[in-house]
Amino acid sequence: MKGTRRMRHPGLMWTLAAMIAAAPGFAQQQGAGQDQSQEQPASSTFTLRVNSDLVLTNVVVRDKKTGEIVRGLTEKDFQIQENGKPQRIASFDFESVDQAAPLDEATINAKAPNGVFGAKNGTATQAELRNHRLIVLFWDITSMQPEDIERAQEAARNYINKQMQPADLVAVVSLDTSLSLDQDFTANKPLLLKAVNSYSGNEGSGFAAGATSTTNQVEDASSFTADEQEYNDINTDRELFAIEDISRSLANINEKKSLLYFSGGIQRDGIENQASLHAAINAAVRSNLSIYSVDTRGLQAISPLGDASTGSVRGTGAYSGAATQNNFDSNFNTQEVMATLSSDTGGKAFFDSNDFSPAFERIQRDTSAYYVIGFHSTDPRRDGRYRRLSIKVNRSDVKLEYRSGYYAPADFKHSTKDDRERELDEELASDLPATDVAVYMQALYFRVDAGRFFVPVSLVVPGSQIPFVKGGDRDKATLDVIGVVKDTAGHDIGDVRDTVKLAIDQAQQVRQKNIQYTTGFTLPSGKYHLKFVVRENETGRMGSFETDINVPDMKKLPLKMSSVVLASQRVQAGKKQDSPLVRDGMQLVPNLPHVFRQDQHMYLLYEIYDPSHPAAEKSDAGKGPEGNAKGNREKPGAEAATGAPVHVLTSIEFLDGSAKAFETPLVQATQINVPARDAVAFQFDLPLNDLKPGLYICQINVIDDAGGSFAFPRTAVLIRPALPAAAPGQPGQTPAVTPGTASAGAPGR
């Protein structure tokens, strides 16, 4: 593999990494880019999509005074314009639930190859679905407490028994450890009740929200509370990926669809992928799916002391007003994503109420009757530009609800080099993210000196989304990567621009793996906005990831600690490679989704800065068996350092629920082993063959014994079964790609 570098920052590395996504939707995003059209995320109500060269849009016509649906209009009553030019209406239809033919036992098949929906009890034709409401009840078990589930179950039972109409076809889907179709679309009430009643309060496993409601502790920075931000980052994206998967599964059904999303709130701690949020919204818009979010926590009383899940406030914090404001902000943040999903897909969010019946009533009202208008655009250009729509009727006493435009398909092969460069720059500057190629990102931080930090950034792209061209005995492809870091004032602090050539042996089945890109920036402490765009150069499809990152001011922290790197691979570092991820000539490849196999090793790396020096005589800790890092871990090389003694202790433990499944012996460092950064670096090598497959909480215990400070960061880790042994004559596992070579990691699934 060879690359053309054009960047200002060191640390470039391309890897075919053995990465497996924790969320089902992570791998299933591979089909997200098949439709080249894009939608403008807006708060208007009805959906437009491009199907071949036929443009379809739904229009609701209401009386200005009463708000009632206006019926009886014909094709001649409508006028439609695209960018100010009149268009001839090619198809016209009016759908109303009043005209629905009964379907007592019908289920439907959305015909999505990797979708959650499938034909279980039969298939209804498109004609039979006409004039029906299609409603998906989506239960996010991962975010709901037992009482939340019971409250939502009662509302759903009430709807099915009392509010459900003959035109309603309902499906039931849940997200726990995986996305599950519990009941395909049906009008059979007993089947729906059986699915709804199957959820119980003890099912909330999966990536359940952690104990992060500690924002009320405004005065006690050293309180013994585990940090679960990384844990909730994974949770957020899993929920968005699930919504995107449901949307894609319903894309081939023309009727307008509604998704009632029951959730206990979505945490927005740490790094957030705005592109994942917009990808879920765009997939719903393209599929004609409106999302109605319901906060199942109902009416909440916000107390400055917090609830039973939080530690108590110390000192006078409860009386300053800051604790109350922090708790209000925390509650608002958990509802923000749900509100955005609803407003941008034409639905509505229902918060702070114990009565969920208005959500069902609103869905029935919004999908009772609408006109469907289609036209063939007179603009033949496939330039990918936004085209505005204007729809009018020959009456002045009505108001129309419809989407304001759509994005035309783009033809990448016919664009010039300058056009391609401009497209990358425009996408980098655009507020609308590219979602045709799945991109996932992780940003870490390591202190370089008192005022600067090295921020390694890793991007992952599924290999299945890269169209390789056969050439001889190797498959070839090129990728463009462009990225920028901006400060809070919007000034560019650093950028990356690369064109990378991939040449992969055909026998290695690259489509089962993920492509990982790693680079880095040197930044002072502060808040930054980071955006990357990746484009594959065969079809021109692009994907983007943007997020806000916070590089902490460690002067205010009682224990100064870097990010924790979890990796499943190590590659040979370049001769000039200077990065905290390089130890003993080997560079760690961060494992972004934190998913490992039993036949792999887990490598952990983190650094403790400015540890306190004990006043007592130099300790002999670390010289005995507990300080020897041979076998499952590595001692931090204290014998190679000189200077004043320190006393830092650390260990790694895995929690299965509330039970401890595994813990390393305590490792003690008595001297600085990275003098250039005044740091103690800890590196662990943990074989995973003794851990059973399943979901664990990995907790890193760090104690600066001389300074009396400590930290206990946590992250979710998923262990999967080992791969079966390769058959004779079949390719086995090979190392990850190193710069200047072309090889592949283990299969991604």
Side-chain angles (χ1 to χ4, degrees), residues 583-584 618 635-643 670-675:
R583 298 286 295 174
D584 302 324
K618 182 176 179 180
K635 183 181 176 183
E639 68 278 2
T642 59
T670 59
Q671 288 188 345
I672 299 292
N673 63 347
V674 188

Side-chain angles (χ1 to χ4, degrees), residues 289-300:
L289 177 70
S290 296
I291 299 174
Y292 296 78
S293 301
V294 176
D295 188 344
T296 56
R297 294 171 295 183
L299 187 62
Q300 302 179 74

Side-chain angles (χ1 to χ4, degrees), residues 549-563:
I549 61 174
N550 182 27
V551 181
D553 182 1
M554 290 191 172
K555 296 179 181 178
K556 303 178 181 179
L557 300 179
L559 188 140
K560 303 172 179 59
M561 182 176 177
S562 72
S563 298

Side-chain angles (χ1 to χ4, degrees), residues 131-143:
N131 298 317
H132 283 81
R133 291 193 190 94
L134 301 179
I135 303 173
V136 180
L137 304 183
F138 178 32
W139 303 72
D140 182 10
I141 303 295
T142 66
S143 66

Side-chain angles (χ1 to χ4, degrees), residues 593-604:
H594 295 177
V595 180
F596 299 81
R597 296 193 316 271
Q598 287 179 299
D599 56 350
Q600 292 180 321
H601 285 228
M602 178 186 295
Y603 307 106
L604 297 97

Side-chain angles (χ1 to χ4, degrees), residues 404-542:
S404 59
Y406 72 101
Y407 283 88
D411 190 342
F412 179 75
K413 291 185 177 181
H414 293 87
S415 60
T416 65
K417 180 180 179 180
D418 291 339
D419 288 337
R420 296 186 179 189
E421 293 293 323
R422 175 182 51 80
E423 289 171 0
L424 280 174
D425 291 331
E426 288 180 351
E427 180 55 44
L428 190 65
S430 174
D431 292 333
L432 181 69
T435 58
D436 288 333
V437 174
V439 180
Y440 199 81
M441 190 188 77
Q442 181 185 65
L444 308 171
Y445 58 84
F446 290 83
R447 197 183 73 176
V448 178
D449 53 38
R452 297 184 305 150
F453 291 80
F454 178 72
V455 179
V457 178
S458 296
L459 300 175
V460 164
V461 178
S464 61
Q465 301 202 1
I466 301 175
F468 283 79
V469 178
K470 294 185 181 298
D473 60 346
R474 301 171 76 82
D475 291 344
K476 300 179 180 180
T478 61
L479 298 169
D480 285 333
V481 179
I482 183 172
V484 65
V485 177
K486 295 185 177 182
D487 60 16
T488 54
H491 300 139
D492 290 358
I493 302 300
D495 57 25
V496 172
R497 196 180 193 101
D498 292 299
T499 298
V500 180
K501 297 180 180 180
L502 301 174
I504 307 299
D505 292 339
Q506 297 175 9
Q508 293 176 334
Q509 300 178 352
V510 70
R511 289 173 179 80
Q512 297 182 14
K513 307 171 182 66
N514 293 325
I515 306 298
Q516 181 160 336
Y517 167 83
T518 300
T519 186
F521 301 90
T522 300
L523 304 171
S525 60
K527 296 182 178 180
Y528 302 93
H529 186 77
L530 178 62
K531 182 173 183 178
F532 270 79
V533 176
V534 177
R535 179 179 66 194
E536 55 86 7
N537 287 325
E538 179 63 23
T539 66
R541 295 184 301 125
M542 291 188 285

